[in-house]
Amino acid sequence: MKLPLDPRILAGKLFPILRWSRSYDASAGFGDLIAGITVALTLIPQSIAYASLAGFEPQYGLYASLLGGFVYAMMGTCPQINIGPTALLSLLTFTYTNGTNSDFAILLCFVSGIVQLIAGVAQLGFLVEFVSLPVVSGFTSAAAVTIASSQIKGLLGLRFSAETFIATWRGVYQHIEETRFPDTLLSLACCIVLMGMKALKDIRLKESQDEKNRRSIILQKSFWFAGVARNAVVVVVASLLAFFIHQDKDEPFILTGNITPGLPKPAPPPFSSVIGNTTYTSGDMLAHLGTGLVVVPIVGIISNVAIAKAFARGLTLDATQEIIALGVCNVASSFFRSFPVNGSFTRSAVSDASGVRTPAAGLYTSVIVLLTLALLTPYFYFIPRAALAAVIVCAVLHMVDVAIMKKLWATSRLDIIPLVGTFLCCLGLGIEVGLICGVGVDVLLLLYYHSRPPLDVQFVDDPQCPHYAIRPAGGLHFAGAERVRSKLNALKRTKIITTSVPLETLTIIPDNDLSRQETTDGIPENNSYIPDNNSNIPEGVPGDNINGIPVSNGDVVGNLNNAAITSNRNRVPESGIRSASVLVIYCDALYRMDYTFLQSLKMLVSEWSRGGLIVWCDVRPTVRDQLDAMLPEPLYCDTQNLSSLLVGKLKKSWS
């Protein structure tokens, strides 16, 4: 997002509400109201559960849900997004603030917002593109498994502390005998009801397609509403059950307990804190948060941009504005004692299905959260922790992306490596370390790809000027410098037999028909490459083939990568053994070479110059400047005059 100089345009960019509010009408307002209420029924029980996941009292989840809707309504661009606590950021918050207090989480929220604002103003959103989808998928899947595992103790009614995936399951194994039957039975029932009610919203009645049948339409919408409000229904029913069977001395369920009522008082984020008898300064707090100061805002940016792209439906997305809006949401929320927040795909899908029209839906959601904090917090005492654990587990199950494995296997199997590597590292080493490891694997794969640039080498056995031709594409970098130089030098050592055998005997092999038996049928045995000696056979040249391709005389082009042979069916007037000592490099698709590759290219030119020639064809101006700065008198031409140039140079060299 380029910042315009006109203040009115700048205000419209930073506050999209100034644009869409001009056409806001009653119809849009009604759609946003329905969507806002529906999302609130999902958000409130989730926020209470996510506060527990982050390691804090339930009211902090409501604090985190309070201000995001107001801010995003003014600065956001995607109507479906609802800013609030999410399972992933709650887990990351717990990871970096476990063993401390809420002050650390509030400061983490503030600093994350600042980092996101800096990234947005500096237009650094493109950095998100360097995290590949397999890494994101492995990260979110591992986070979902870790989150679900962390709730096992809540499902079974166990009491122990654990931070990591491995520590959680070790604790479950050690305390399994302490399982509370009432909590286990309640959590199992809640999970069954949640999964069943989720299926309700996907039911499609055949009669509902008939607009005249109002009963079926109402029934269809009732099923859908029950499905999206399932979290609230389960929490309310479980709370009523706990209230009626509650006993002062012997509680059958582990309850949420007292929740601090009322709205949080606006205050700057804490830059010092006291835990026990130890006072932590701002430097101590930031040092304790460590890599979380970078990981948390990056994960928030990735999630928000991904959700916005998913619901953009082909429209242009202002990713920079989305990042700025998210940063302001976190900074503003930190003044109301919130831990880090971002958009939720689940709530966004509910909002979209509810008929949301504009980002104003977040206003209605935040108003309901505000009323809940002001009036309803005393009634949250009887919410069973087992019910909240069931809500979390059922909410994160869809985050495990199993389908991507099948897609990667069919399209790009090498990308399975960063996906599996990220997933395993996140489970074994921790969420933040696993993400860094996944990015590291991606970097190694990029280096691997750069070390094997596609060159599409061809041999053109022209009667007057036999030569090799390559057409590099994109950029050539240091990782592939030596490999490319060795491959091209190997070509120079190859010699060709040329005879007067008619080329009508050759079989024309299409590129897509290389597996057929006729590949070598009809090719005379004496039409082949003959190396200088057996020890100088280029890499991949088995006997009388180069890269498995038999080569003949005449105007034949043999593609050394895809093994295609074509012919113009002419006769070769001369015979004998000649060296293919000319290399033509087509540079029309080449846009950059780094310094290391240019140095390697300089050595290649020096080696080919001993009895050979390199011609640069259709060179871009930027590449030409690089070649002029590195090579002594490079030879340039274009496609039109290539043939005459080669004939003239070779006649001069042979004479």
Side-chain angles (χ1 to χ4, degrees), residues 58-82:
Q59 68 268 16
Y60 283 94
L62 296 174
Y63 296 164
S65 307
L66 180 60
L67 209 64
F70 291 118
V71 175
Y72 192 82
M74 294 184 291
M75 303 188 67
T77 62
C78 181
Q80 290 82 2
I81 288 183
N82 173 265

Side-chain angles (χ1 to χ4, degrees), residues 187-505:
S187 62
L188 180 61
C190 288
C191 287
I192 294 174
V193 173
L194 285 169
M195 299 304 292
M197 294 185 69
K198 181 181 180 181
L200 284 178
K201 69 183 182 67
D202 298 323
I203 294 177
R204 295 292 179 267
L205 300 177
K206 293 182 179 180
E207 294 80 7
S208 64
Q209 298 176 359
D210 185 1
E211 295 181 358
K212 297 181 181 180
N213 194 337
R214 297 184 59 185
R215 180 179 299 178
S216 61
I217 294 176
I218 294 174
L219 185 60
Q220 176 78 72
K221 291 185 176 180
S222 299
F223 283 157
W224 177 85
F225 186 78
V228 299
R230 60 188 181 276
N231 291 334
V233 172
V234 166
V235 169
V236 170
V237 172
S239 301
L240 291 174
L241 178 64
F243 174 78
F244 285 115
I245 65 174
H246 173 71
Q247 299 176 9
D248 293 334
K249 296 182 180 179
D250 185 18
E251 296 181 356
F253 303 126
I254 299 177
L255 303 179
T256 299
N258 292 318
I259 298 179
T260 303
L263 299 173
K265 294 182 180 179
F271 290 95
S272 63
S273 183
V274 178
I275 301 177
N277 296 324
T278 304
T279 301
Y280 289 84
T281 64
S282 57
D284 297 331
M285 296 175 72
L286 294 176
H288 180 85
L289 295 174
T291 57
L293 301 174
V294 176
V295 173
V296 171
I298 288 179
V299 171
I301 290 174
I302 293 174
S303 300
N304 245 55
V305 173
I307 295 171
K309 285 183 177 180
F311 290 98
R313 294 184 173 89
L315 300 178
T316 302
L317 173 67
D318 192 346
T320 300
Q321 178 61 26
E322 282 296 310
I323 296 173
I324 292 176
L326 179 63
V328 175
C329 285
N330 274 290
V331 171
S333 295
S334 68
F335 283 78
F336 289 82
R337 303 196 63 78
S338 166
F339 54 86
V341 294
N342 71 321
S344 164
F345 192 88
T346 300
R347 297 195 296 268
S348 298
V350 170
S351 181
D352 183 63
S354 303
V356 67
R357 301 285 292 276
T358 70
L363 293 174
Y364 304 114
T365 301
S366 294
V367 167
I368 295 175
V369 173
L370 188 149
L371 294 176
T372 301
L373 273 168
L375 304 174
L376 301 180
T377 47
Y379 301 100
F380 292 159
Y381 178 90
F382 291 97
I383 297 178
R385 290 189 177 272
L388 296 178
V391 168
I392 294 176
V393 170
C394 293
V396 302
L397 285 179
H398 74 281
M399 291 172 56
V400 181
D401 191 358
V402 179
I404 194 175
M405 288 293 293
K406 183 178 180 180
K407 297 176 183 177
L408 292 179
W409 186 262
T411 57
S412 179
R413 297 180 182 179
L414 203 59
D415 283 333
I416 295 178
I417 297 176
L419 185 147
V420 175
T422 304
F423 182 81
L424 295 179
C425 289
C426 286
L427 293 183
L429 303 177
I431 295 295
E432 72 285 358
V433 177
L435 179 60
I436 296 173
C437 290
V439 174
V441 173
D442 259 350
V443 171
L444 293 178
L445 284 180
L446 282 177
L447 292 177
Y448 174 81
Y449 290 135
H450 282 308
S451 68
R452 286 158 174 78
L455 291 179
D456 192 22
V457 183
Q458 295 179 329
F459 174 71
V460 182
D461 190 4
D462 187 280
Q464 296 179 317
C465 179
H467 64 275
Y468 292 103
I470 63 172
R471 190 182 297 273
L476 297 175
H477 307 282
F478 65 93
E482 286 304 311
R483 182 181 178 86
V484 171
R485 187 168 72 91
S486 300
K487 184 176 182 179
L488 295 181
N489 274 331
L491 296 177
K492 186 177 181 295
R493 295 194 297 268
T494 305
K495 292 184 178 181
I496 321 99
I497 289 182
T498 58
T499 69
S500 58
V501 177
L503 291 179
E504 285 80 354
T505 59

